[in-house]
Amino acid sequence: MNENVIEKIKNSIKEKAGNKRVIAAVSGGGDSTLAAWLAKEAIGENLYAIFVDSGLLRSGERERAIHLYEDLFGKDFMWVDASEEFLFALKGVGDPEEKRKAIGKKFIEVFERVANEIEAECLIQGTIAPDWIESGGGSRDRIKTHHNVGGLPETFLQVVEPLRDLYKDEVRDLIKETGLKTKEERQPFPGPGLAIRIIGEVTRERIEVVRKANDMVEKAVEESGVKPWQYFAVLLPVKSVGVKGDERVYGETIAIRAIDSADGMSGSFSRIPFEALEAISTRITNEIPGINRVVYDITDKPPATIEWE
């Protein structure tokens, strides 16, 4: 069954891309990697995989992604450091929808620039069904705008989305079918990155805080033996009174989010062992200046979404 789906996807890419020079947007995750790999098998040396470092990635993510794509695509891979551009684009932006739109616009600008440099006419991206459904596709209400959906200028490249009708569990099944190695089996990570795990304005300092906290959450949860669908840290613009030593502190709050899901469309909060939560809280409040409170999100999807923004 999956073999037939894979062949249909390849044939669709051939039909749409033809003999054009193509760039594939790859993020390090399974969706974009599978789309790019199937496109590579379909059209060969006409495809170039492009990884953009937005500066909003998890700890060590850029290095892992570059290593992965150098192995998969060799000379037909390039990466772009656009971290300063994204930081500038997010300056003063606090509304979650405006934040997502600013990130999406910047990705468009970067890919358009790269496409012009290598004379590409087509963009492959790993959009899947939840992306356009939550973005208000069809007659649906817009939950949140995904950075890779909507808002494309009329002059932009031809966009091909070979996984558009698939859900996350179906994509993982295809990855297994192809034998494709997408790093180790890692949890999904949102395209807008850590920007939507910072409630309010994104700054260089706040990115570093949530990156450190996120790394602590990931390691502690993995060491606990529990493996939720997603697990991460969120930096809240909520200050509260605390005590360090004998001194009063007025610090910010980190929320821990862990949720179980099959396809990303719905889910229930994970029962992380209290020992792991205690270890996370202790480490975050001891090692990250300015954080004096840690809370745990016990909300299902719905009513909440997986990410906070």
Side-chain angles (χ1 to χ4, degrees):
M1 180 65 175
N2 282 338
E3 289 181 4
N4 292 335
V5 173
I6 289 170
E7 286 307 309
K8 285 182 180 178
I9 290 173
K10 288 181 184 179
N11 290 334
S12 175
I13 293 170
K14 287 179 186 177
E15 181 182 335
K16 293 175 181 176
N19 295 319
K20 297 173 184 174
R21 184 167 289 188
V22 176
I23 60 173
V26 290
S27 66
D31 305 337
S32 65
T33 304
L34 178 64
W37 179 250
L38 293 179
K40 187 68 175 176
E41 291 200 327
I43 61 177
E45 60 185 18
N46 277 342
L47 180 131
Y48 300 84
I50 312 296
F51 171 74
V52 176
D53 179 8
S54 63
L56 303 167
L57 302 173
R58 288 176 287 189
S59 179
E61 192 76 4
R62 180 177 74 178
E63 293 75 16
R64 281 189 288 266
I66 291 173
H67 179 72
L68 168 68
Y69 296 128
E70 285 178 342
D71 283 349
L72 289 177
F73 299 102
K75 63 181 177 58
D76 298 327
F77 164 68
M78 65 180 290
W79 70 278
V80 180
D81 184 355
S83 53
E84 291 299 321
E85 294 181 54
F86 278 86
L87 190 62
F88 183 79
L90 289 167
K91 186 176 178 60
V93 180
D95 178 79
E97 273 296 293
E98 294 306 312
K99 198 184 291 184
R100 284 174 171 270
K101 289 177 182 177
I103 292 168
K105 181 180 178 183
K106 181 52 63 177
F107 270 117
I108 289 169
E109 291 175 4
V110 175
F111 284 122
E112 203 163 29
R113 187 167 70 229
V114 173
N116 288 335
E117 290 173 2
I118 64 176
E119 299 181 336
E121 301 176 69
C122 182
L123 170 70
I124 301 279
Q125 60 180 19
T127 305
I128 61 174
D131 297 341
W132 60 266
I133 289 173
E134 290 193 334
S135 297
S139 59
R140 298 169 178 84
D141 188 36
R142 184 180 65 193
I143 307 301
K144 52 189 177 183
T145 301
H146 286 253
H147 77 290
N148 56 335
V149 177
L152 295 175
E154 292 183 4
T155 57
F156 194 59
L157 308 166
Q158 176 189 357
V159 178
V160 177
E161 299 172 323
L163 311 180
R164 182 178 176 84
D165 296 325
L166 301 179
Y167 290 84
K168 185 68 81 170
D169 55 330
E170 295 173 316
V171 171
R172 288 186 167 179
D173 286 344
L174 292 184
I175 289 173
K176 291 176 183 177
E177 184 74 31
T178 61
L180 181 63
K181 302 295 183 183
T182 58
K183 306 178 296 189
E184 62 272 27
E185 182 70 23
R186 303 189 78 217
Q187 60 167 315
F189 186 67
L194 297 176
I196 56 172
R197 294 179 181 174
I198 298 170
I199 309 302
E201 184 179 0
V202 176
T203 65
R204 195 187 309 275
E205 295 73 23
R206 293 174 74 75
I207 292 171
E208 285 308 309
V209 167
V210 80
R211 180 179 287 129
K212 289 178 182 177
N214 193 81
D215 193 48
M216 294 174 187
V217 169
E218 287 191 355
K219 288 177 179 176
V221 171
E222 287 159 10
E223 289 171 1
S224 75
V226 178
K227 192 66 183 289
W229 164 269
Q230 272 185 271
Y231 41 103
F232 52 89
V234 182
L235 177 58
L236 309 183
V238 176
K239 286 194 170 186
S240 61
V241 175
V243 179
K244 283 197 175 182
D246 293 325
E247 297 182 358
R248 176 190 188 273
V249 294
Y250 193 50
E252 292 189 299
T253 304
I254 289 287
I256 302 170
R257 177 69 157 153
I259 192 162
D260 296 306
S261 178
D263 56 11
M265 294 299 294
S266 62
S268 55
F269 74 88
S270 301
R271 273 67 173 174
I272 302 298
F274 278 110
E275 294 80 6
L277 293 175
E278 181 181 17
I280 294 169
S281 177
T282 300
R283 190 174 175 199
I284 286 175
T285 53
N286 282 345
E287 297 182 28
I288 303 181
I291 303 297
N292 72 326
R293 195 173 297 272
V294 176
V295 298
Y296 188 53
D297 183 349
I298 58 168
T299 321
D300 295 338
K301 176 183 180 179
T305 55
I306 293 177
E307 300 288 344
W308 277 46
E309 288 193 340

